[in-house]
Amino acid sequence: METAALVAPITALELFHDRFLLSGEGPVLSVYGLQPRPDVGASLSVLQHYRIHGIRPRSRDAVPTRRSTVTIHGQRENENNSTSERSFYDFAVFGGKAVRLVRLGLDPRDVETPHLEVLAPLMELQDWVLDVRWLSSDKRSLLCVAVAHNAALLLDSAAGSALVQCSCLEGCLLYSALLLVDECWANTVLVGGTVFNQLVIWKPGRGDEMINPGHKAPVERRLLGHSGVIFSISYLQEKGYLASASDDRSVRVWGVGALGGPGGRCGDSNPTCLRVLYGHQARVFSVHLSAGYVFSAGEDGACLVWDLGGGGKVIRTLKGHRAGGVRSLAVSGGAGGDDRWVATGGGDGGVRLWKVEDGVERKEGLEEKLTDLKFPDLGLPKVVCIAGGEEGNMCWSQFLVCTDRGTVCRYSDGSWETVWEGPPEFHSYCVMDTTTASTVTLCAVGNISGSIQVFPTSHPLSGIHLAGRPGKIYSVSWKKGTDKLYLLASGAEGLVYRWCVDVKMTENGSLVLSVVPLPAFLLPLCSKRWLTAAICLQRHSDQVLWVCGDRRGSLLLFQEDGNFELSRTDHGKVSEGLQTGGETRMTLQPVSCLFGVHGKHGVTSVCEYQGLFYSTGKDGCVRIFRVSPAKPETSNGELHLKVLRVQRACRGMEWLERVLILEPEVPEDVGVERENVIGGELRENRFVIVGFHAVHFVVWDPVRQERLMAVPCGGGHRSWSLWPSHPVLWSGRGALVFIKQGAILTSQPPGEMLGCAGEAGRAGGWSLREGIHGRGIWCVCRLGRIEEIGTDCQTQTGDSKTFWEIVVTGGEDTNLAVLAINPVSGLIKVLSVITDHISGVRALTAITRAQGKALCALLLSAGGRAQIQCNRLLVVWDRQRLTPSCQVIQVASHRLDIQWEKKRNRHKTVKMDPESRYVSIEVVEEKAGRLLVALSCSDGALRLFSVSEAESLIDLLWETFYHQRCVLCVATCSLQDVKGNRCKLLFSAATDGTIAVWHLTESLPILSSGATTPPIPCLVIPAHQSGVNSLAVWVEKLGQHEDGCLVTVASGGDDGQLTVSTVRVQYPEDGKVGGDGGFPPTCYNHTLMEAHDQSPNQVHVHLHSQSSIPLAHAASLTALKLLSPGLLVSTSSDQRVCLWRVSGTSISHSGALCSHVADAAGLAVWEEEEEDEKMGFETEQVNTIWKEKVDPVCQTSHVKEEETSDDPRNPAPDGDGNTGSRECSKKITSVGWVLVCGQGLQLLRLENSRMDEEMWQSREKEIERVKVTFQK
């Protein structure tokens, strides 16, 4: 079993010479090159089943050599470089109880691609390693090691033995340690953070006393002040400062004086606390001291930069990781005034790199970045708009401001000027909007009496006066059609006045505005009846569609004739009707209305891109919808709006203003036309969300879950404008102008080139590796795989094909992540993030079908607050971007509390507990276009639902409270004997350790509307002493008429026991059933049978046999899956993945592997048949090339080239996986895949599922390791 892909918390980072960044993820060491720009280099698994917690470089320059000897997988090999010299650097990598030496090599012929090599066997100690340092003057590779029980070792890495061991007189447990070494062991000083919230300083080596094996050194200095354990320690030798990060959310800076060095100094006799820095909202995991600054990172996901000399203030906050916190931190030296690199590793598995400039750091806060434009005393500014310039120009310098005195002012070239002064009716209230037509900037201003003034800013005297009905003008907006310019004004009584405006230039250079009135829109009756957003779409040459949003939160569709022209008589009728409320036939009614979809706070924007519409509101949601024909039975040629899905922004970001489409990142020399349709559905584009989060104006990426731009503006109740002013696209650069407390402020000085939000040093930094879930992953579901097409790699390899595995994960962060995994390169891409759930996602299942080149799946998810979500996923290979692409369509949702609110006489029933949650979900049957789904619930209920995709409906059919306690899991099985007798069984398990068997053949309804009585279990199996967490069910034997069918039920529980129960199912002799005989038995998991007739007679179910393994795992068994007939895969919180052979009543252990995923909670297994020239295992091989491009840039250095080219082939037809092919060089091998999820994600490849335990043990013996012993 080998690791094909891994996502785990980044627990170690090291910046080396400002050229490389090394990271530790589980046991995998990865190196990134920083020059000329950050990029991935190579990866290598070095610590086996230990997690890397530290990387320490050897403090010497690169050693040039013509011949270097390295150790790879226990075999020593010689590398001859006859033409060029090779430079290398040595590192000590440690974590858990292990230490290993690794070499980073650079070839002069390819200096941008580093190589990693293992130098020595793995050294295993008897205590946890907290810090490792090289002795600077030693040539024998001696290491100083600090361990958890307040002791230190002098370790000979070449011999793998401990030369000296010394313990502290205060033998307490340490949470962190810092070794300060010099040229010899006698000068070593250790600073430890104890479990008693103290810092102790002591010397492991004190002259000749170190030869005494029983020697214990006393504590030299003790620092008190923290109220929590200490997680990290940093020392700045130039200043004599010591910094400590603690569980109490604080960072303390101590003045300790000189530590270490010649003589092993222990600092001042009375060290003092200089600063107590409080700024983190959770535990602080890492701290780093540099000249004048303190860098700290914690569980709140923020890296704070503190000004040590300026009062200890936070001068910068670096945020870019998802939930889960920042687990590791590395800061470069920044010598000579150069910019510093700051690297952060998150609990989400992401790595981010920031470039921090000294000039930016010395600013006291973000508020100083704002520029005040010094608005003159011409009234109080009410509306601000950006005017002039081209959208593609990155310089911005012109603004228009309308005041409460009805004055319009323009800012240009650093000064203000008055453009237009309104009459008295424009005082005290006005609304304004601007647009650019050709090279002319037009401005429209509306007042409280129903008047609108339209004028060009360059010739304000050429303006015209428009009037509607008497009453307040709530909003004015300019909208561009295909070849026309429209002005919309929302007035009283729900009328939206419209004009078509044209600008012409006369021969003498003056401007002339021509205005044509159009029929007004009439909004539906509601309390807040005015327009807030609109978009014009030219559907056909003779048809114009308008999609509008109002203040009540409704989306409206208006349809009009594109060739609609008014005669002079009609012009007068329209004007008279608008002013006097004349004929209603001159107004347009909406043909479709989605009333209140965005809540009571209104719609803020509507935009269209490539056929799809995107709307935002103050409910924190983005709705993606389209215009579709009405149903045939109700259609009169009209259209209607259909919402495809809902995307939520981050938590706390409720006020959304706009959606901007991300420009596609197309690789060079790709001449493939972009397909805008996936499986008959329009393709959804990647977009960012613009809105307000607390006091910040934010541009948010919902897929990467990160801020691309953040401006401290004070909140949402203000006028603002964003530049560039493109209504749809986001180029990654932007600046904001807004009004705050009567001042006009900008996020960047006008006239300057706009900065890129993706640059290091800006909001997001460089994303070297994308994170997935910041918290625990509770469930995982595999959908299938898609083929990679249209790449150069495929052309070069001929008939070889590369496939991407498509999986969906859900967890504690309430999100569903659609992932694409490349098993060859280990690359994982986030295709989409679904944010429909309001609580954690506990269970997933899917029905998958092929739809052309697309992978189509109906995904069902369930979790907290008794919520079920159904989504349609369409996944296809994007030949333009050379990456998988996913389209998400929301089908239906259901919540028990909402259903209870809709019940009649609900006061007579008990209200559902809001804390109820679904724990497991299983598809029972697919019949007549409907899915029957069984769910287990924490309130002790077993529920059966009907899901109809055509009607977008989820109905509760029946529920039973038989278990009377939390139901943890469900499973189904459908079988049929040789006489055609069919039976459908449902298995449910609860916290009392019993498994109930339900016969559903008589209880399944024909239609979802037909109410049925809940069945009674026909068998109860006692299986465990406590809760049953997982079930795996399959048909083991198809018996004769008198024997019936045998069903095997494997279960795993909290007691760590694996139990296999065999159930015999017998039919009565006079049973009559319909349907085709001889249907093979099917384990009803993810593939569904068609509907069949039901047996009218009850079957007989009884327990045939039962066997168990009491201690299958050292902890609770959390997940159990069937990989192939008779082969089970189990996992547990003990971080082991075990294989079990089940044959009848016998259970045998086939092998185990230590997983790198903590708190394993879910499994997904599948099997594929592949053609391969190579058979065997690489237990320690981990090829994790994290690269945004499909083609890998480099290969893992410790694996031979032929071993890293295991490309999956076309799956063979179902049959025996051991059957050889016609070609003598190729074999058909059965490859099993195991995907483990928990605090991360790990994909395991099992090449030969028939490997026995002896082969596993022989592989373990091949792993080279050395046990290091020392005296206690």
Side-chain angles (χ1 to χ4, degrees):
M1 207 186 292
E2 65 184 25
T3 300
L6 176 66
V7 176
I10 306 298
T11 52
L13 288 174
E14 179 68 25
L15 281 163
F16 185 65
H17 288 183
D18 287 350
R19 292 183 59 190
F20 302 105
L21 172 66
L22 291 93
S23 69
E25 178 190 28
V28 180
L29 179 67
S30 301
V31 58
Y32 302 86
L34 304 183
Q35 304 295 337
R37 66 182 305 274
D39 203 357
V40 70
S43 297
L44 177 66
S45 180
V46 296
L47 290 192
Q48 296 175 13
H49 57 276
Y50 293 106
R51 179 175 292 179
I52 298 175
H53 282 106
I55 306 166
R56 300 290 182 261
R58 191 168 188 174
S59 56
R60 64 181 178 89
D61 296 332
V63 179
T65 180
R66 294 180 179 272
R67 187 186 187 111
S68 62
T69 303
V70 298
T71 302
I72 303 178
H73 295 300
Q75 299 180 358
R76 302 185 68 83
E77 300 181 357
N78 292 329
E79 296 181 353
N80 296 322
N81 296 329
S82 58
T83 58
S84 62
E85 296 181 347
R86 182 177 175 183
S87 300
F88 58 83
Y89 306 91
D90 293 342
F91 295 86
V93 182
F94 65 91
K97 297 181 179 180
V99 180
R100 201 164 200 178
L101 302 186
V102 179
R103 176 164 292 173
L104 172 64
L106 298 176
D107 193 337
R109 293 169 297 182
D110 189 11
V111 295
E112 297 183 0
T113 305
H115 303 273
L116 293 174
E117 303 167 348
V118 174
L119 290 181
L122 182 74
M123 294 174 284
E124 286 187 306
L125 281 65
Q126 296 179 356
D127 201 354
W128 302 101
V129 181
L130 298 182
D131 195 14
V132 173
R133 300 288 171 173
W134 299 77
L135 283 184
S136 58
S137 64
D138 192 83
K139 306 273 185 194
R140 296 185 299 166
S141 299
L142 296 184
L143 300 175
C144 296
V145 182
V147 293
H149 284 82
N150 210 1
L153 301 175
L154 182 60
L155 188 64
D156 187 352
S157 59
S161 60
L163 302 180
V164 180
Q165 172 216 345
C166 182
S167 298
C168 182
L169 189 61
E170 186 168 326
C172 60
L173 189 67
L174 301 183
Y175 269 69
S176 58
L178 175 66
L179 282 169
L180 302 171
V181 299
D182 194 46
E183 296 182 354
C184 64
W185 165 259
N187 298 334
T188 301
V189 174
L190 189 149
V191 183
T194 73
V195 71
F196 301 112
N197 313 332
Q198 302 175 2
L199 287 168
V200 293
I201 303 174
W202 60 283
K203 296 177 61 177
R206 302 186 64 184
D208 295 336
E209 294 178 347
M210 67 181 181
I211 64 176
N212 182 8
H215 165 69
K216 291 189 177 181
V219 174
E220 303 289 343
R221 304 286 185 270
R222 190 185 304 272
L223 305 179
L224 306 177
H226 280 292
S227 59
V229 296
I230 293 113
F231 290 127
S232 178
I233 306 171
S234 178
Y235 178 66
L236 183 62
Q237 185 177 4
E238 292 80 3
K239 298 287 186 179
Y241 292 164
L242 187 73
S244 57
S246 173
D247 183 47
D248 61 4
R249 300 183 301 167
S250 72
V251 174
R252 288 179 178 258
V253 181
W254 314 81
V256 296
L259 295 179
R265 293 166 294 183
C266 293
D268 300 336
S269 58
N270 295 314
T272 59
C273 181
L274 303 179
R275 299 282 185 194
V276 181
L277 308 177
Y278 280 100
H280 286 278
Q281 299 178 5
R283 297 180 294 178
V284 187
F285 289 145
S286 302
V287 65
H288 182 88
L289 275 174
S290 65
Y293 303 102
V294 180
F295 298 83
S296 62
E299 197 176 21
D300 57 355
C303 176
L304 303 183
V305 184
W306 309 79
D307 186 3
L308 188 57
K313 295 181 180 180
V314 177
I315 60 174
R316 187 155 180 205
T317 301
L318 307 178
K319 274 192 174 183
H321 294 279
R322 305 175 189 230
V326 179
R327 299 295 182 90
S328 54
L329 172 68
V331 182
S332 65
D338 297 336
D339 298 337
R340 290 179 177 85
W341 290 105
V342 178
T344 57
D348 59 352
V351 179
R352 289 194 170 271
L353 188 66
W354 323 73
K355 182 171 285 186
V356 180
E357 303 173 359
D358 285 343
V360 176
E361 285 183 339
R362 297 188 183 277
K363 294 183 178 181
E364 294 184 0
L366 292 173
E367 296 291 342
E368 291 190 12
K369 296 182 180 180
L370 303 178
T371 302
D372 190 351
L373 299 185
K374 306 297 182 182
F375 186 72
D377 188 16
L378 298 175
L380 191 65
K382 292 295 184 179
V383 186
V384 59
C385 298
I386 296 177
E390 299 179 358
E391 295 173 353
N393 187 10
M394 289 295 102
C395 292
W396 63 316
S397 59
Q398 295 188 16
F399 314 105
L400 288 177
V401 174
C402 185
T403 69
D404 59 349
R405 301 178 185 175
T407 303
V408 177
C409 303
R410 177 171 55 196
Y411 179 89
S412 179
D413 298 329
S415 61
W416 291 94
E417 61 176 338
T418 300
V419 175
W420 178 77
E421 292 186 0
E425 58 265 22
F426 284 87
H427 293 183
S428 74
Y429 175 84
C430 59
V431 290
M432 182 183 72
D433 192 23
T434 62
T435 189
T436 302
S438 299
T439 58
V440 179
T441 300
L442 296 179
C443 180
V445 182
N447 62 12
I448 201 170
S449 59
S451 299
I452 301 103
Q453 182 72 23
V454 181
F455 58 90
T457 57
S458 58
H459 300 76
L461 298 180
S462 302
I464 58 175
H465 183 80
L466 302 176
R469 291 186 182 179
K472 183 178 181 180
I473 300 295
Y474 291 96
S475 66
V476 292
S477 58
W478 294 95
K479 300 299 172 184
K480 293 183 178 179
T482 304
D483 53 357
K484 296 180 180 179
L485 180 63
Y486 300 95
L487 175 63
L488 279 68
S490 182
E493 299 180 5
L495 285 174
V496 180
Y497 316 128
R498 299 187 302 140
W499 294 272
C500 183
V501 182
D502 189 19
V503 182
K504 296 182 180 179
M505 180 76 68
T506 61
E507 297 179 356
N508 57 4
S510 60
L511 294 176
V512 176
L513 298 182
S514 60
V515 177
V516 178
L518 300 176
F521 293 153
L522 183 62
L523 302 181
L525 288 172
C526 59
S527 58
K528 301 174 182 178
R529 202 179 176 193
W530 65 85
L531 190 73
T532 55
I535 187 69
C536 177
L537 178 65
Q538 187 83 25
R539 185 183 175 101
H540 302 292
S541 59
D542 58 345
Q543 187 181 67
V544 177
L545 297 180
W546 287 85
V547 180
C548 304
D550 63 7
R551 181 59 177 79
R552 180 55 183 83
S554 304
L555 293 174
L556 311 170
L557 175 64
F558 294 91
Q559 181 178 353
E560 67 173 341
D561 187 358
N563 297 324
F564 184 83
E565 294 183 0
L566 296 177
S567 62
R568 292 185 179 180
T569 306
D570 293 331
H571 288 176
K573 291 182 179 180
V574 170
S575 301
E576 182 181 356
L578 292 179
Q579 294 179 6
T580 64
E583 301 179 8
T584 58
R585 64 181 179 88
M586 304 307 298
T587 61
L588 296 179
Q589 304 280 344
V591 297
S592 178
C593 175
L594 299 177
F595 185 78
V597 292
H598 276 285
K600 296 182 179 180
H601 297 290
V603 180
T604 54
S605 71
V606 178
C607 71
E608 182 271 337
Y609 190 72
Q610 295 183 351
L612 288 180
F613 294 86
Y614 305 80
S615 64
T616 60
K618 297 179 184 178
D619 58 345
C621 295
V622 176
R623 282 174 169 78
I624 300 98
F625 59 98
R626 66 182 180 187
V627 177
S628 303
K631 296 181 180 180
E633 59 270 16
T634 60
S635 176
N636 295 323
E638 295 183 349
L639 304 173
H640 76 287
L641 301 176
K642 180 181 180 181
V643 176
L644 301 180
R645 79 177 186 97
V646 179
Q647 174 71 56
R648 291 186 178 273
C650 62
R651 181 170 298 178
M653 187 174 175
E654 301 295 330
W655 191 317
L656 307 186
E657 287 284 358
R658 191 183 301 174
V659 162
L660 296 177
I661 305 298
L662 285 173
E663 295 180 347
E665 300 175 358
V666 182
E668 297 180 0
D669 302 329
V670 177
V672 181
E673 185 178 356
R674 179 173 174 83
E675 300 176 358
N676 195 39
V677 178
I678 303 178
E681 296 288 343
L682 292 174
R683 180 194 299 265
E684 178 186 320
N685 291 270
R686 280 275 314 271
F687 59 85
V688 297
I689 303 173
V690 178
F692 295 93
H693 190 191
V695 297
H696 287 83
F697 176 89
V698 174
V699 178
W700 175 261
D701 189 339
V703 174
R704 294 188 175 180
Q705 296 284 293
E706 65 175 340
R707 288 183 176 184
L708 303 182
M709 179 179 174
V711 179
C713 64
H717 292 280
R718 65 195 68 253
S719 176
W720 60 275
S721 188
L722 183 66
W723 177 263
S725 56
H726 197 288
V728 178
L729 296 179
W730 168 255
S731 62
R733 304 170 183 266
L736 182 73
V737 56
F738 59 95
I739 299 175
K740 183 178 181 180
Q741 297 178 351
I744 309 297
L745 304 177
T746 62
S747 61
Q748 190 171 331
E752 291 187 1
M753 298 294 292
L754 297 186
C756 180
E759 294 177 355
R762 295 286 175 178
W766 270 298
S767 178
L768 298 183
R769 180 175 169 186
E770 191 174 359
I772 299 180
H773 286 274
R775 299 179 183 175
I777 304 175
W778 288 340
C779 53
V780 61
C781 177
R782 179 200 180 237
L783 304 182
R785 64 178 185 172
I786 62 172
E787 180 184 348
E788 178 180 319
I789 56 178
T791 62
D792 296 337
C793 177
Q794 180 182 348
T795 305
Q796 296 174 2
T797 56
D799 60 347
S800 63
K801 296 181 180 180
T802 302
F803 293 92
W804 290 72
E805 299 290 344
I806 309 300
V807 300
V808 181
T809 58
E812 187 180 0
D813 59 358
T814 74
N815 293 334
L816 292 173
V818 184
L819 308 177
I821 305 176
N822 188 331
V824 178
S825 65
L827 178 64
I828 299 181
K829 284 184 172 293
V830 180
L831 304 184
S832 181
V833 177
I834 305 173
T835 58
D836 297 334
H837 282 271
I838 61 176
S839 187
V841 184
R842 294 276 180 174
L844 286 171
T845 189
I847 304 299
T848 304
R849 299 183 182 87
Q851 188 171 335
K853 295 181 180 180
L855 178 66
C856 181
L858 188 65
L859 179 69
L860 291 166
S861 58
R865 305 295 291 274
Q867 182 181 8
I868 309 173
Q869 291 292 140
C870 181
N871 293 278
R872 169 70 64 184
L873 304 184
L874 298 171
V875 185
V876 71
W877 179 259
D878 191 333
R879 300 185 62 182
Q880 185 184 32
R881 296 185 180 181
L882 300 181
T883 184
S885 178
C886 178
Q887 173 73 31
V888 180
I889 301 174
Q890 187 178 21
V891 176
S893 63
H894 184 277
R895 283 175 54 187
L896 287 180
D897 56 348
I898 296 180
Q899 184 190 34
W900 183 86
E901 293 289 345
K902 296 179 180 179
K903 284 184 177 180
R904 294 182 179 180
N905 300 323
R906 58 179 179 269
H907 61 281
K908 298 180 181 180
T909 61
V910 179
K911 186 175 182 180
M912 194 249 354
D913 183 5
E915 299 300 324
S916 296
R917 61 188 181 277
Y918 293 121
V919 185
S920 178
I921 184 172
E922 192 74 18
V923 176
V924 177
E925 189 177 32
E926 184 179 19
K927 175 184 284 188
R930 299 176 185 269
L931 291 180
L932 298 181
V933 184
L935 288 100
S936 62
C937 194
S938 63
D939 60 359
L942 179 64
R943 294 181 169 92
L944 185 70
F945 288 87
S946 170
V947 181
S948 174
E949 183 180 5
E951 299 178 4
S952 300
L953 188 63
I954 300 178
D955 280 336
L956 175 63
L957 302 182
W958 53 256
E959 61 183 8
T960 176
F961 291 86
Y962 168 80
H963 286 280
Q964 294 296 317
R965 49 183 51 85
C966 178
V967 186
L968 294 176
C969 54
V970 292
T972 60
C973 183
S974 180
L975 49 89
Q976 173 183 325
D977 66 4
V978 294
K979 292 190 175 182
N981 297 319
R982 291 185 175 88
C983 178
K984 196 173 298 295
L985 300 180
L986 175 66
F987 300 82
S988 62
T991 54
D992 60 354
T994 62
I995 302 173
V997 184
W998 310 74
H999 182 216
L1000 296 185
T1001 307
E1002 302 291 339
S1003 303
L1004 294 179
I1006 299 176
L1007 297 174
S1008 64
S1009 58
T1012 61
T1013 303
I1016 299 175
C1018 54
L1019 178 65
V1020 177
I1021 305 172
H1024 295 269
Q1025 299 177 3
S1026 54
V1028 183
N1029 295 321
S1030 184
L1031 291 174
V1033 182
W1034 71 96
V1035 178
E1036 182 182 286
K1037 179 183 176 182
L1038 182 64
Q1040 300 298 324
H1041 174 72
E1042 62 275 11
D1043 293 333
C1045 300
L1046 293 180
V1047 179
T1048 304
V1049 183
S1051 58
D1054 287 334
D1055 53 5
Q1057 177 175 295
L1058 174 63
T1059 302
V1060 176
S1061 306
T1062 303
V1063 177
R1064 174 170 292 177
V1065 182
Q1066 291 180 319
Y1067 291 86
E1069 294 184 0
D1070 58 346
K1072 297 179 181 180
V1073 295
D1076 298 332
F1079 195 89
T1082 304
C1083 179
Y1084 220 94
N1085 188 6
H1086 294 287
T1087 58
L1088 296 175
M1089 301 189 318
E1090 296 296 330
H1092 299 286
D1093 294 337
Q1094 304 166 3
S1095 172
N1097 297 312
Q1098 184 70 27
V1099 300
H1100 302 288
V1101 181
H1102 64 274
L1103 183 62
H1104 180 264
S1105 62
Q1106 189 177 68
S1107 60
S1108 62
I1109 297 181
L1111 295 176
H1113 284 271
S1116 61
L1117 199 154
T1118 55
L1120 184 67
K1121 294 292 183 180
L1122 182 68
L1123 178 59
S1124 61
L1127 182 60
L1128 287 173
V1129 183
S1130 66
T1131 188
S1132 168
S1133 53
D1134 63 359
Q1135 292 191 230
R1136 286 195 306 153
V1137 178
C1138 297
L1139 298 179
W1140 308 90
R1141 286 287 178 188
V1142 180
S1143 178
T1145 59
S1146 65
I1147 309 173
S1148 60
H1149 185 264
S1150 290
L1153 179 72
C1154 290
S1155 173
H1156 310 321
V1157 176
D1159 300 330
L1163 273 179
V1165 298
W1166 64 95
E1167 200 171 21
E1168 298 285 351
E1169 290 186 351
E1170 301 178 356
E1171 291 183 0
D1172 207 341
E1173 301 177 3
K1174 171 177 163 290
M1175 303 287 291
F1177 277 82
E1178 293 292 343
T1179 305
E1180 199 174 332
Q1181 173 184 346
V1182 179
N1183 185 16
T1184 52
I1185 308 296
W1186 298 98
K1187 183 73 176 171
E1188 284 301 317
K1189 297 181 181 178
V1190 175
D1191 299 330
V1193 175
C1194 61
Q1195 296 177 347
T1196 306
S1197 58
H1198 74 291
V1199 183
K1200 296 181 181 179
E1201 183 177 357
E1202 63 268 20
E1203 295 176 343
T1204 59
S1205 60
D1206 298 333
D1207 294 339
R1209 308 288 199 257
N1210 279 326
D1214 295 339
D1216 187 2
N1218 292 330
T1219 305
S1221 65
R1222 294 290 182 180
E1223 301 181 13
C1224 60
S1225 61
K1226 294 184 179 180
K1227 293 183 179 180
I1228 301 296
T1229 177
S1230 179
V1231 179
W1233 298 93
V1234 179
L1235 185 61
V1236 187
C1237 68
Q1239 296 295 329
L1241 199 69
Q1242 184 178 11
L1243 178 63
L1244 300 171
R1245 176 188 174 97
L1246 179 62
E1247 288 194 18
N1248 189 354
S1249 60
R1250 293 164 178 81
M1251 176 177 286
D1252 55 14
E1253 188 171 3
E1254 294 181 359
M1255 297 180 66
W1256 281 85
Q1257 294 176 355
S1258 64
R1259 285 299 303 169
E1260 289 294 330
K1261 293 179 181 179
E1262 294 179 6
I1263 301 175
E1264 189 174 0
R1265 65 178 72 184
V1266 175
K1267 292 285 186 179
V1268 179
T1269 60
F1270 56 91
Q1271 297 180 356
K1272 296 183 179 179

